[in-house]
Amino acid sequence: MSEPAAAPVEAPRKDPLRALVLAGGLTFEREVSINSGGQVVEALSRAGVEAELHDADAELLPGLSGAPVDAVFIALHGATGEDGALRAVLDLAGVPYVGSPAAACRLAWDKPAAKSVVGSAGVSTPDWVALPHSTFRELGAGAVLDLIVARLGLPLMVKPASGGSALGVQKVSRVEDLPAAMVSCFAYGDTVMVERFVDGVELALSVIDLGEGPEALPAVEIAPESGVFDYTSRYTPGMTEYHSPARVSGAVAARAAEVALRVHEVLGLAGLSRTDAIVTPDGEVHFLEVNVSPGLTETSMFPMAVEAAGYQLGDVLGRLLARAAE
């Protein structure tokens, strides 16, 4: 009996990968996104990928139809890049992209919904309540806020129920400061999430999947000068110290990696993600939120984690693009 024919071996790709990097968008995080997109293009170019920067505008789909690319990298932050809508349109157009599918993005974008799913999976997360502006208007802000403080205590973290870059995030230590914090937060969305403040070490936990399953990168420790990692602390050089890898014990680092991988799994994420967490003095890791389009600026934690793992950012992004193109 003759031997079965060997499977044909694919020839290695000779032409460079062609990628479109989407950045900008019409959100509060536009400038951060443009910065991320520029960094991505530079890193990909160093890795031998032909990368072009493009905004998410009316010219995007005709451009992709007229000059197809191998895959798209989404460096859009805020609703445009993270709520799943753009990805759903790319799916309709048959354009491959790096990262999580539209449905998973919708879930991760809704912080209270993501906390509910992650909490149900056995991961600790600070107690919270999320209420739309209409509830305060119809029931009376004073009465509702009194109930929130009675339930969650002080201090509190007030943040938009969706969104990134810590926009609108405030720590409230005095009950008299809560109404103003709520009003400020409603400028970024119709629903506010009020969360019990947990004191501890803040960590950024990045996950990548280069083809062999999700891999947790070394945790990055965040130490803001002000004590709160808000927008100013996040994007002003010198306002925050970063330690990569984080200055935590091996046992805590392992637990943090488990949390990041668990979040990535239960929310159905793919490609890359960044989970934000707090480690209390007793070593417990508390989930805060997850980002499906993590920042890639010079002060962003995802590139720090990639470097700490011994990878080159351009190589990682290029491999993610190649996987998407396949």
Side-chain angles (χ1 to χ4, degrees):
M1 180 180 292
S2 61
E3 292 292 328
V9 178
E10 286 190 20
R13 184 188 184 104
K14 296 180 179 179
D15 55 317
L17 193 69
R18 295 181 61 250
L20 191 68
V21 178
L22 294 181
L26 298 177
T27 73
F28 295 112
E29 299 173 70
R30 176 177 174 81
E31 293 305 317
V32 176
S33 174
I34 291 173
N35 194 346
S36 284
Q39 296 289 333
V40 170
V41 169
E42 288 185 16
L44 288 173
S45 297
R46 289 194 296 268
V49 177
E50 291 184 0
E52 178 185 345
L53 193 64
H54 201 294
D55 211 328
D57 54 24
E59 298 178 3
L60 174 61
L61 295 177
L64 286 171
S65 178
V69 295
D70 294 306
V72 168
F73 188 92
I74 301 171
L76 291 156
H77 309 314
T80 307
E82 299 186 66
D83 68 359
L86 174 65
R87 296 165 198 246
V89 173
L90 292 176
D91 287 334
L92 290 173
V95 177
Y97 54 85
V98 170
S100 301
C105 290
R106 282 192 294 273
L107 178 56
W109 175 248
D110 187 330
K111 294 175 188 176
K115 279 168 66 76
S116 294
V117 172
V118 170
S120 296
V123 178
S124 295
T125 187
D127 198 8
W128 84 99
V129 61
L131 296 169
H133 186 267
S134 59
T135 299
F136 293 91
R137 185 176 61 249
E138 294 165 3
L139 299 182
V144 175
L145 292 179
D146 287 344
L147 290 174
I148 291 174
V149 173
R151 162 74 179 276
L152 301 179
L154 289 168
L156 296 166
M157 292 301 293
V158 179
K159 60 182 72 173
S162 58
S165 294
L167 285 165
V169 173
Q170 296 183 57
K171 178 184 177 183
V172 175
S173 300
R174 304 186 309 162
V175 67
E176 55 266 34
D177 295 333
L178 187 53
M182 299 289 289
V183 170
S184 176
C185 204
F186 278 127
Y188 296 98
D190 184 61
T191 301
V192 167
M193 185 171 74
V194 184
E195 189 176 56
R196 176 177 287 136
F197 176 78
V198 175
D199 195 17
V201 177
E202 186 162 359
L203 300 180
L205 310 170
S206 298
V207 172
I208 58 174
D209 187 348
L210 301 179
E212 299 179 356
E215 170 190 355
L217 302 180
V220 176
E221 178 185 343
I222 303 161
E225 189 177 275
S226 66
V228 178
F229 195 44
D230 56 14
Y231 184 88
T232 302
S233 297
R234 190 174 294 233
Y235 294 110
T236 305
M239 292 277 297
T240 298
E241 286 188 3
Y242 301 94
H243 302 275
S244 183
R247 301 171 299 177
V248 295
S249 69
V252 168
R255 279 196 292 275
E258 290 174 2
V259 166
L261 291 170
R262 186 66 173 147
V263 170
H264 193 87
E265 174 192 9
V266 300
L267 295 179
L269 307 183
L272 74 167
S273 68
R274 195 198 74 230
T275 288
D276 297 336
I278 292 282
V279 180
T280 52
D282 62 0
E284 186 170 14
V285 181
H286 297 263
F287 167 76
L288 297 179
E289 61 186 79
V290 65
N291 301 268
V292 299
S293 183
L296 293 157
T297 71
E298 293 178 344
T299 59
S300 295
M301 288 77 72
F302 185 88
M304 297 179 195
V306 168
E307 182 178 352
Y311 293 120
Q312 295 293 321
L313 181 61
D315 292 339
V316 167
L317 301 182
R319 289 172 69 179
L320 290 171
L321 282 161
R323 286 201 69 207
E326 292 169 359

